[in-house]
Amino acid sequence: MFKKAILASMLMAQVFAVSAADVYPSRPIKFIVPYPPGGPTDAMARLLQAPLQAKLNTPIIIDNRGGAGGNIGTGMVAKSPADGYTMLLAASGPMAVNKTLYKTIPFDPEKDFAPIIQISAFPLVLEVHPSVNVTTVKQFIAMARDKPDTLSFASAGNGTPQHLAGELFNTAIGAKLQHVPYKGAGPALNDVIGGHVKVMFDILGSSVQYIKTGKLRAIAVTTATRSPTLPDVPTLAEAGVPGYDVTGWHGIVVPAGTPKPIIAKLNQALNDIFADPAFKQKWEELGTPVVGGTPEAFGALMRSESVKLGKVVRDAGVTVD
């Protein structure tokens, strides 16, 4: 009798999951961006908004909840119902770095979320305000060592790729550029363009237009290979910082416990969007290749990056200001 009750319960759960996916979505979906408007994370959400609405035939409502290195918005999603009506544009900071960087965070990256898909693999670019009299990595390193007080670097917040890239640079060259955290990449970039802060390790897609118009000067990219977007700009590794390699990434997750058929439906919709040549071109203009793939592949990436970046944080002595 007991076994029959268990089997009946499992069968009912499967029927519920299938029926939930059949009618999903039946109301608007909230898409949480854990950073303020204007940065690359926000730009990705807004580019996805219209085609995802068309695929799912329901409104996608973008809700920016910045602060605490992405922890505030990420924590909101962790506490949301597991019904597919709250998605998170997940960044590498809160998903792989912050549990090592912060003493406590309001979520568990591995236990509180179910992965949907990886959507980006961003190179970062070391850039300076034009008033900084350097054009090469060698010159920048010399100034960073001799006059570190003149080269504060801005970031999107503690634990973000922009922050971690700068701290790794400090460790690699034996300098101490002062870190100036902002509540998002947009406000940070605005202050660098305005000359209030002189340096930023920014995600390439959000800075490339300012580099091409001369409002910022690109010194190097942080990835192991050069970016097709700026083919004449060297990598830090080839220009004097051996072994340096930092890549920012993003994906989409939902609260843990979301029915698997709903996860599969979201994954398929997003992969279909990324397969469209016109959308792919727009996406690559952000400075990242199209990634896509399975929930399992994105989950594996988050776990491996958590180990890798956690070690980097500890070894570099990165702390929250």
Side-chain angles (χ1 to χ4, degrees), residues 166-240:
E167 295 290 0
L168 284 173
F169 181 80
N170 278 338
T171 300
I173 71 165
K176 188 56 184 175
L177 306 183
Q178 182 182 356
H179 174 224
V180 183
Y182 288 77
K183 291 184 178 180
L189 185 59
N190 286 338
D191 267 13
V192 177
I193 292 169
H196 305 295
V197 184
K198 302 298 185 182
V199 179
M200 189 170 180
F201 293 79
D202 193 25
I203 288 175
L204 178 56
S206 59
S207 286
V208 65
Q209 60 179 314
Y210 304 109
I211 292 168
K212 290 184 176 180
T213 57
K215 292 182 178 179
L216 295 171
R217 181 183 303 130
I219 304 297
V221 294
T222 65
T223 42
T225 58
R226 293 194 183 198
S227 168
T229 305
L230 295 175
D232 295 330
V233 176
T235 69
L236 276 167
E238 71 178 286

Side-chain angles (χ1 to χ4, degrees), residues 118-206:
Q118 183 185 357
I119 63 172
S120 81
F122 273 108
L124 280 70
V125 57
L126 167 57
E127 59 198 16
V128 299
H129 186 266
S131 64
V132 179
N133 189 28
V134 299
T135 57
T136 67
V137 172
K138 183 177 180 181
Q139 292 170 344
F140 184 84
I141 291 174
M143 182 175 286
R145 287 172 174 165
D146 295 342
K147 301 177 181 179
D149 293 341
T150 66
L151 291 177
S152 298
F153 74 96
S155 84
N158 291 306
T160 59
Q162 295 93 333
H163 175 205
L164 193 56
E167 295 290 0
L168 284 173
F169 181 80
N170 278 338
T171 300
I173 71 165
K176 188 56 184 175
L177 306 183
Q178 182 182 356
H179 174 224
V180 183
Y182 288 77
K183 291 184 178 180
L189 185 59
N190 286 338
D191 267 13
V192 177
I193 292 169
H196 305 295
V197 184
K198 302 298 185 182
V199 179
M200 189 170 180
F201 293 79
D202 193 25
I203 288 175
L204 178 56
S206 59

